[in-house]
C-alpha cells in the first residue's frame, strides 16, 4: 500500500522555537508539496518541490522554508514559530506534470504554537 | 492566477438521498484537470473523482458523478444514495500542467448525513 508518512500527528511548540515537520513517501514520486489547512480557507500551498534539492514557493511561503535532500523526504521548517502558524499541515506527493494522477496525501500534522 | 470557489460551507443530506456540492473555478487555460477530494475525520484525503478538461463526458465513480460545464467553469459533485460514511469535508481542486502540477483547492464543504 503506497504511503505518504508525516512524522507527527500532533505537535505543540513554543513561540520562537524552530520546528521541523517531516514527510516521507515510498512511491518514487518526483513532486512533493506542503499545504496548510485552515477552516474556511481550504488548503493553501506553502512550498513544493519537483526534484531533489529543488524548491518553489507556493502561495504563502512567508515564515517557512523547506529542504529536500533525498527524493523520498520533504521537510517543512518553521524558522521561528509564531501563534499564527497554528494550523493543520498536510504533505502530498505526485507524479510530475503531464501525467494524469492526483496527489497522495499524508494524514496531517496538527501544530499548536503556544 | 487560478482560483477555486466552493460557496457552500456546509451541506446536509438524508441517508439514501442525493446531494450536489457546487464548485466553480476561474482560469484562462484550456487544458487542466479537476478533482474532488474527501477528508473524513481521520484527516486522510481521499480522491473521489477526477475529470480531464478535454473530455466532454462527465466522470462517474459508482455513486459519485460530476457535472462538468467547461464554458461556465463549473464542476459540481453529485452523491447518490448517500451513506453515513459519506459524511466528511469535500474539497474541489484544480490542477494545471503549467505550474509544476500543483493543486489549487477550494474552501471546502462540510457534508453531514442524517440517518
Amino acid at each position: 500500500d503506497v504511503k505518504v508518512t508525516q512524522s507527527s500527528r500532533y505537535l505543540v511548540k513554543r513561540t520562537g522555537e524552530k520546528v521541523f515537520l517531516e514527510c516521507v513517501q515510498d512511491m518514487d514520486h518526483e513532486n512533493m508539496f506542503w499545504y496548510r489547512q485552515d477552516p474556511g480557507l481550504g488548503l493553501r500551498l506553502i512550498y513544493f518541490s519537483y526534484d531533489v534539492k529543488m524548491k518553489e514557493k507556493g502561495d504563502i511561503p512567508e515564515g517557512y522554508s523547506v529542504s529536500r535532500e533525498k527524493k523520498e523526504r520533504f521537510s517543512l521548517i518553521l524558522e521561528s514559530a509564531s501563534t499564527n502558524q497554528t494550523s493543520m499541515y498536510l504533505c502530498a506527493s505526485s507524479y510530475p506534470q503531464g501525467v494524469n494522477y492526483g496527489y497522495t496525501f499524508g494524514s496531517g500534522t496538527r501544530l499548536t504554537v503556544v | 492566477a487560478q482560483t477555486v470557489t466552493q460557496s457552500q460551507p456546509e451541506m446536509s443530506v438524508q441517508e439514501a438521498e442525493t446531494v450536489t456540492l457546487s464548485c466553480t473555478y476561474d482560469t484562462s487555460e484550456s487544458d487542466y484537470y479537476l478533482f474532488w477530494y474527501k477528508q473524513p475525520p481521520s484527516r486522510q484525503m481521499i480522491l473521489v473523482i477526477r475529470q480531464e478538461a478535454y473530455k466532454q463526458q462527465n466522470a462517474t465513480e459508482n455513486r459519485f458523478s460530476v457535472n462538468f460545464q467547461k464554458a461556465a467553469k463549473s464542476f459540481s459533485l453529485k452523491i447518490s444514495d448517500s451513506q453515513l460514511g459519506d459524511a466528511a469535508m469535500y474539497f474541489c481542486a484544480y490542477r494545471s500542467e503549467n505550474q509544476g502540477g500543483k493543486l489549487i483547492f477550494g474552501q471546502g464543504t462540510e457534508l453531514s448525513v442524517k440517518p
Side-chain angles (χ1 to χ4, degrees), chain B residues 85-100:
Chain B
D86 294 334
M89 181 72 83
Y90 286 82
F91 290 100
C92 177
Y94 172 103
R95 175 174 173 168
S96 165
E97 295 299 66
N98 298 320
Q99 299 181 49

Side-chain angles (χ1 to χ4, degrees), chain A residues 9-10 31 33 35 37 40 42-43 45 88 90 95-103 105-110, chain B residues 33 35 37 39 41-45 47 50 52 91 95 97-108:
Chain A
R9 190 163 174 82
Y10 297 95
N31 292 1
F33 306 83
Y35 284 87
Q37 181 179 354
L43 279 73
L45 183 63
M88 169 84 83
L90 287 167
Y95 288 109
Q97 61 193 78
V99 180
N100 181 18
Y101 285 95
Y103 287 11
F105 284 86
S107 54
T109 295
R110 189 173 295 281
Chain B
Y33 303 96
F35 303 85
Y37 280 90
Q39 186 183 44
S42 67
R43 300 191 216 155
Q44 187 63 53
M45 294 281 273
L47 177 63
R50 67 166 70 94
E52 296 92 327
F91 290 100
R95 175 174 173 168
E97 295 299 66
N98 298 320
Q99 299 181 49
K102 65 179 183 179
L103 278 176
I104 300 166
F105 287 86
Q107 299 89 339

Side-chain angles (χ1 to χ4, degrees), chain B residues 3-113:
Chain B
T3 58
V4 178
T5 302
Q6 294 176 250
S7 58
Q8 307 154 316
E10 297 175 349
M11 290 283 284
S12 180
V13 64
Q14 205 71 34
E15 196 175 6
E17 297 293 311
T18 295
V19 64
T20 299
L21 308 184
S22 301
C23 174
T24 59
Y25 59 94
D26 188 27
T27 184
S28 58
E29 298 177 329
S30 58
D31 192 17
Y32 50 87
Y33 303 96
L34 296 165
F35 303 85
W36 278 98
Y37 280 90
K38 170 186 177 181
Q39 186 183 44
S42 67
R43 300 191 216 155
Q44 187 63 53
M45 294 281 273
I46 301 165
L47 177 63
V48 175
I49 200 165
R50 67 166 70 94
Q51 174 81 43
E52 296 92 327
Y54 64 85
K55 288 187 177 179
Q56 293 186 347
Q57 187 172 6
N58 288 325
T60 300
E61 289 287 343
N62 301 313
R63 298 183 294 108
F64 298 87
S65 62
V66 298
N67 183 4
F68 173 48
Q69 302 287 329
K70 190 172 184 179
K73 297 178 182 174
S74 171
F75 183 61
S76 60
L77 174 70
K78 185 171 83 171
I79 306 174
S80 304
D81 185 26
S82 296
Q83 301 175 0
L84 295 177
D86 294 334
M89 181 72 83
Y90 286 82
F91 290 100
C92 177
Y94 172 103
R95 175 174 173 168
S96 165
E97 295 299 66
N98 298 320
Q99 299 181 49
K102 65 179 183 179
L103 278 176
I104 300 166
F105 287 86
Q107 299 89 339
T109 297
E110 180 85 51
L111 177 68
S112 59
V113 181

Side-chain angles (χ1 to χ4, degrees), chain A residues 54-65:
Chain A
M54 304 298 289
K55 61 184 179 183
E56 294 285 341
K57 292 181 179 179
D59 299 318
I60 51 165
E62 297 77 19
Y64 303 95
S65 63

